[in-house]
Each structure stands twice: as structure tokens, then as C-alpha cells.
Amino acid sequence: MAAAPPPWRVADLVDALEAIAPPRFAEPWDNVGLLVGDPAAPLARALLCVDLTRAVLAEARASGCEAVVAYHPPIFKAVKRLTAGSIAYELVRAGVAVYSPHTALDMAPGGTNDVLAEALGLFECRALRKGQAPGEWPAGFGFGRVGRARPRPRAEFVEHAKRALGLGEVLVAGPLEGEAATVAVGAGACGDLIDDALAARADVYVTGEVRHHDALRAADAGLTLVCTLHSNSERGALGRLGEGLARRLPGLAWALSGADADPFRVR
């Protein structure tokens, strides 16, 4: 007897992801949504990652995944040619669908920034900034988060952040003296939220990476800046995203990529 087909289709994955992180709230410059694949294709297994590298693609193919949920869009700018050797070509050839939530997940309640804030133990959180997309902004949506933390010395909070995020090292700019009671977060490259963190009277701002001059500006303003490296501030949200998919698509097998990692290492 032939095995029963999977109960889900790629279109169901798209619907579930758009319910979790509505694409209309993504930044206008972003490229979110279904980037590769046939919505009608059957779906039994999905792999979740931040960056869809060749190693992640090989992992997806080896584990029989019909779809990859890649937080960062592997196709960002307009593509004029789809030729052998490119990841996009290999995805199409392998019949692997790809969906990217990116800034839609950053904006959404329970998304990238909320998971980062929760990992650091923040409470009474709110968005640092509303997005640029048109329309009404429901409560809880927006870029970054700022909230209260258990008061402790700033140097102690840095060590707490390292433990909470499972990191051996972070980059720190600004003062280590004084208390950390109000903390802001911005997952990814969020140097443009430094002014918002200052306006919120944050003592510490945790993000993935910032430019050199943004770090100088933050330090000069008395803000303690903690940089985790870009994707280290985002990867924690994947598990929460997988749990959300499991609730909406019972029986879907999903896994976190074991090959996905920040490209930088401390030596």
C-alpha cells in the first residue's frame, strides 16, 4: 500500500507564517514571503535557519525537507539570471521551497525582538519604534523593544546577557559603571535605533552589530552598547517560530538547522 501523502502543502506553511508575522508590517525595502517554490507542493518537513548557506541547503536536502524557513531572504535584489552554481538555482532544481519572514518577524509580537528581550529577562516591554509600512499598527508591533530589567551593575548585566544568549564573548562600548535598570534591544543590525534607545532613557542597548561611528555616538551619550554579532541576536527566535508552526500545522516535522551559524568566530 502506498504511503499517505503529507497532510500539508507549501501554501499552508505560507498561511501559517503570515499569521505569525504578517508581511504587510515588513519594512518597504525588505523581500519577505515565499521566494522559491510551488504553493501546491506537498509538505511534510521544514528546516528553520537564519542564513540559507550552501551547508544549510545540503542539510535540508539530506534530511528530506521540502521547505526552508530562512529568516534572512536568500534572494534580496532583483535576479536577472538563474544559472547553475547559485543557491537559488539549486533550490529550484531540488524542489525546495523557501520562505523568509525577516523584518515582518522583527515587528511581530512574539517575534525576533520579543524573544531577545525575554531571553534577557526584560518585562513591561514596548516597541522602540513603529515601522514605515502604511496602515494601522496594532499593539505590540514595532521595531526593537525596551523594558525594565532587574537592577544590577552594568558590568554584571553584560555577563548576564552572555549567559542568557549562550555566548562566550560580546562587544561592549560605553560605560560599565552605573546601574542597568532600563534595557533596549534591537535584533540584527540596529544602529539606527540608538537614538530611540536614548530617547527611552535606556541604560543598556543590546543588538547584533552597529557601525563604528554609531558605537562612538552611543558611548559618548552614556549608553552601554552590547553587540552579540549579527545573527546571534536573531537565532533564538527560530525555536519560538517552529513552535508556532507546530500549533498551526499539526504533524509537520520541523527542525532547527545544525549547520546555521554566525559567519564570524572569535579566535
Side-chain angles (χ1 to χ4, degrees):
M1 180 181 295
W8 303 113
R9 300 173 302 141
V10 169
D12 298 313
L13 177 68
V14 172
D15 289 344
L17 288 164
E18 291 188 350
I20 294 169
R24 68 183 182 277
F25 294 113
E27 287 289 89
W29 48 261
D30 205 359
N31 189 31
V32 305
L34 183 65
L35 306 184
V36 175
D38 178 3
L43 175 67
R45 298 177 181 83
L47 188 68
L48 278 60
C49 66
V50 173
D51 295 303
L52 207 175
T53 60
R54 295 184 188 281
V56 172
L57 174 56
E59 180 184 11
R61 296 184 68 175
S63 58
C65 291
E66 298 91 357
V68 175
V69 179
Y71 169 76
H72 287 144
I75 302 173
F76 198 78
K77 297 180 179 179
V79 176
K80 295 184 177 182
R81 293 177 177 82
L82 201 62
T83 56
S86 70
I87 288 182
Y89 174 87
E90 296 301 328
L91 287 165
V92 173
R93 188 178 181 210
V96 176
V98 179
Y99 186 101
S100 174
H102 204 204
T103 57
L105 190 62
D106 292 344
M107 294 283 190
T112 322
N113 285 296
D114 276 334
V115 171
L116 178 57
E118 290 172 20
L120 296 173
L122 305 188
F123 55 96
E124 295 181 6
C125 293
R126 60 177 175 83
L128 267 180
R129 183 197 297 173
K130 298 298 185 183
Q132 300 176 31
E136 296 296 323
W137 283 90
F141 280 78
F143 262 138
R145 298 291 184 267
V146 60
R148 295 172 58 196
R150 179 175 70 80
R152 67 185 89 195
R154 296 190 191 197
E156 185 179 319
F157 183 86
V158 172
E159 295 304 312
H160 160 70
K162 289 162 60 177
R163 291 191 300 272
L165 300 177
L167 302 175
E169 299 85 10
V170 293
L171 299 176
V172 180
L176 288 175
E177 305 79 20
E179 187 177 74
T182 300
V183 176
V185 302
C190 287
D192 60 334
L193 292 182
I194 286 176
D195 288 335
D196 300 88
L198 291 170
R201 304 181 68 82
D203 306 305
V204 178
Y205 177 44
V206 180
T207 187
E209 62 175 318
V210 302
R211 297 178 300 179
H212 175 81
H213 292 288
D214 287 333
L216 290 174
R217 181 163 56 86
D220 184 62
L223 179 65
T224 302
L225 183 65
V226 179
C227 293
T228 66
L229 294 183
H230 189 111
S231 65
N232 289 337
S233 64
E234 302 163 332
R235 191 164 286 103
L238 295 178
R240 180 77 58 83
L241 183 59
E243 292 166 2
L245 291 176
R247 287 193 297 271
R248 289 169 172 81
L249 305 176
L252 174 70
W254 66 273
L256 301 179
S257 170
D260 184 33
D262 197 274
F264 287 103
R265 297 182 299 276
V266 178
R267 296 292 298 272

